[in-house]
Amino acid sequence: TKMSLVTSVNTDAPPIIVAHGEQDCSVSTQPSQLFVNRLIQQGVEHERIVVPEAAHEEFPVGAGIGNEKLQRFFDKHFDIASVHKAAF
């Protein structure tokens, strides 16, 4: 059997951020929408961001999301201070 993000999602999944470039020619937005639909079905907290004019490359999507939006997501869902403290 093939591994699939869509079928592997369950209610134990951590919060997930899904970012997709609107101009991605390598991967259409349909698979990420199917994934988000499954997250909703399983009640998993998530945020989906479609970045206008971003392609598949990492940097355009990262730039389109912006560090502030990522930081808000992580601050909302994860106790980064305690993870950092435990690591050092």
Side-chain angles (χ1 to χ4, degrees), residues 65-81:
I65 295 171
N67 288 336
E68 289 179 23
K69 189 171 259 191
L70 287 173
Q71 189 64 54
R72 281 194 305 271
F73 179 83
F74 286 114
D75 288 346
K76 178 180 177 183
H77 296 290
F78 304 102
D79 185 358
I80 301 298

Side-chain angles (χ1 to χ4, degrees), residues 18-75:
V18 178
H20 202 112
E22 191 174 58
Q23 302 301 318
D24 189 334
C25 295
S26 300
V27 179
S28 76
T29 56
Q30 184 183 11
S32 65
Q33 185 59 57
L34 291 172
F35 182 57
V36 167
N37 291 348
R38 179 70 175 177
L39 294 172
I40 292 167
Q41 187 179 53
Q42 294 296 311
V44 176
E45 287 195 55
H46 68 282
E47 183 171 346
R48 179 174 190 247
I49 302 166
V50 176
V51 183
E53 306 200 17
H56 187 75
E57 295 81 18
E58 178 181 337
F59 292 107
V61 172
I65 295 171
N67 288 336
E68 289 179 23
K69 189 171 259 191
L70 287 173
Q71 189 64 54
R72 281 194 305 271
F73 179 83
F74 286 114
D75 288 346

